[in-house]
Structure formats: C-alpha cells, structure tokens
Amino acid sequence: MKNNIMTDVHCHILPGIDDGAQYPDISGALLLSEHQQGIRQILFTPHFYAHDMKVQDYCRNREAAFERMKETCA
C-alpha cells in the first residue's frame, strides 16, 4: 500500500521567529488549518539571518517558540 501522508515542507508556523506567525494562538490556528487540509507532517523552516543573531541565540529562541506552541496546542 502506498504512503499517502501529506507533508508541508516549508512553513513559518513557529511563533515570533520570522515573518510567519507572531503569537502561539496564530500558530495553533495555522496547525489546525493544516490538519483540516489533510497535512500530517510539518517541517518547520524558520529563517535564520546570521547578520541579526548568533546561532546559539537563534537555536534558543527557536526551541522556546516550539515549546510555547506545544503548550498552546496541547
């Protein structure tokens, strides 16, 4: 049987990271919309701008955004 799982391979859903969702509630609404469209896997692809931030700070911010989103969507 063929795997028919739909995957979003480019999204900006993590809250407050880049030009995508600014708040966790918006992230939750976007995730719900993705699910309603049949998407079951998402690759979070926030932008990283080396001229704006150190890698360590970016990784910390990204992890914090992911945790905020998980709390909102739980």
Side-chain angles (χ1 to χ4, degrees):
M1 180 172 210
K2 190 174 181 179
N3 181 350
N4 290 323
I5 296 174
M6 289 179 51
T7 303
D8 180 350
V9 297
H10 184 95
C11 74
H12 297 268
I13 290 179
L14 290 175
I17 292 294
D18 54 23
D19 57 353
Q22 291 304 304
Y23 305 103
D25 58 328
I26 295 171
S27 295
L30 290 169
L31 287 174
L32 179 60
S33 177
E34 295 258 48
H35 191 267
Q36 289 169 341
Q37 295 174 58
I39 295 168
R40 298 299 180 261
Q41 296 178 344
I42 299 174
L43 303 175
F44 297 110
T45 54
H47 295 295
F48 168 66
Y49 300 107
H51 63 276
D52 285 339
M53 186 178 295
K54 294 179 181 178
V55 172
Q56 297 86 346
D57 294 335
Y58 169 78
C59 290
R60 247 189 320 276
N61 290 346
R62 185 188 62 195
E63 182 65 27
F66 186 68
E67 291 302 318
R68 282 193 308 274
M69 191 181 71
K70 285 191 327 187
E71 291 169 6
T72 299
C73 297

